[in-house]
Amino acid sequence: MTGPGTKPLHAALLALVMLALGPVVGSALRAADGGVLTGIWRGALGEREVVVCFDGPDRDGAFYDLRHPRRIALHPQPDGTWQAVGGDAEPHDPAVEEEDCEGPCEGVPEDPDTGTWHLEAPALTPEAEQLTGHWTAAETGQALPIRLTRGYLIGDPGAENAPTGPPCDNLAFTAPFSKSIRVLTGEPRTFAGHRYRTRTLTIGDGLEISGIELLEPGPHAASISRKLRGLPESDAESALELFDCRQRLWADMHVRGEIEFWSERWLGTAEASSVDCGGSHPNEGRTHHTWDLATGEDVDFWDWIADRPRLLRLVLARALSSPDLLAEAARKDPNGDDEGCAATLQEDWVPWQSPYLGLHGMVFATELPHAVQACDQDVEIPYPELLAFANAAGRREILDILATLPMLPPTAPIRSPAGTLP
C-alpha cells in the first residue's frame, strides 16, 4: 500500500490529469486516455474479488480472481474498452497482425473472448482513487459492475515501498495471489555428511517449484540458499513464475533443485525442470551450478581453462565415442535423411553449458533445443587429465579438489535421460 502522506500527492497528480482530460471525467475512457489507469488496482467484478493491472496507454492489462487465481489478459480496443481474453489464449503480441499470418497466428488470441470491460475515468474520494465501470459477457450480454480502488501508482516517489517497472510484471501485482500458494518444508536430509532440506511452493494442481536450504553453518549459507529458492526471501520470485505459468488451464510446471556434489569448499547443484506453460512444445531440461562456499559465488569453470578450443575438441571426441552414439550410428540407415546425433553434435552452433564438478572429473554438458534434445550429452573429463588444459589458478584449484575426493561418496548421483525427471 502507499505510505503515509502519499494520498495528497496522488490526488494532486490525478487532479492535473483530470484537468487535462476535461470532459473525459465521469465518462467512458478513450483508448488514448489509458495512462490514467496505469498501476495496480484491487476490488470486485460482480461478486468476484479481483486484482487488476494496467501497464499504460495502448498496452495490455491483466486481472485475476483471488478465489481462482489465473491471469486473464485485458487488450485495449480503439473504442476505449478492454477485451478480456481467457487463460488458455496465447499472450497478446501487438507486433503480430492477423492479416500477416497464414492459418493460426502465433501471438494473436484465438480463444473466444471472455467479455468486455467498459471503464469510467478514475474518480477521487477522500480516501482513495476509485475506478468503476461494467463488464459484459461476449455471448449473452450479461453485465456485472466493476468497482476498483487503486493500490499503487507505479513509480510514485512519494509512496513508501512503491513498486517500479511495468505493473503487470510487478511482484506487487502477484502479492495477493501468493497467499493461495502452499509452502511445504521437508525434513532434514544429508549429502556426503552435510545437512540440507527442501522448500516447495505449490498450487496443488500441477505447478510446483522446489528449492534447497543449506542447514550447515557457513558465512554464505543463507545467500546461497536464497539463490537456490530455499528461503522465504526467495518465495516472491518463485510465486511470480507460478503465476505467469498458471494463465493457462492446462499449465504444468515442476522445477526441482538437487544436490550433486558437496565438499568442504564446493557445492554442486542442479535444477531439473519440466514446464508446459503454453507454446509449441513443453520445455524440459537440467541446469547446473557450482558454488564456492568460501565466497558464496556461482563459479564459471571456464575461467580455470587456458586452452578452451583444444579442450572442447577433446570433449566432442569423447561424446562421439560414447556407447549410445556408437550404438545409434550402427543402427542408422546410411541412405536415410537422418544424419543422427553425431552430426548434430559436430555443428558449430551446439551450446555447451558452463562445466560443473563431478565426483571423478569436470562434466561438460550440451544444452540442445527441444527438437534434438535426445542428443544431449554429458562428458566427464577426469581431473588429472584436465590439468593439462588449465591455467595456473585452475591447476591450484583442481589439485585442491583431487585432495578432497576421498571424502566424497563412492557413487555418483544418477542423471535422468534428457527430457525426463525421475
Side-chain angles (χ1 to χ4, degrees), residues 129-140:
E129 298 169 38
Q130 304 288 336
L131 181 62
T132 59
H134 65 278
W135 166 89
T136 55
E139 296 183 1
T140 66

Side-chain angles (χ1 to χ4, degrees), residues 161-198:
N161 302 318
T164 58
C168 295
D169 293 333
N170 203 283
L171 294 178
F173 175 55
T174 59
F177 160 81
S178 301
K179 295 178 181 178
S180 67
I181 295 176
R182 290 189 300 141
V183 178
L184 308 175
T185 302
E187 295 295 325
R189 305 178 184 181
T190 61
F191 184 99
H194 303 281
R195 297 181 306 120
Y196 73 100
R197 65 183 175 190
T198 59

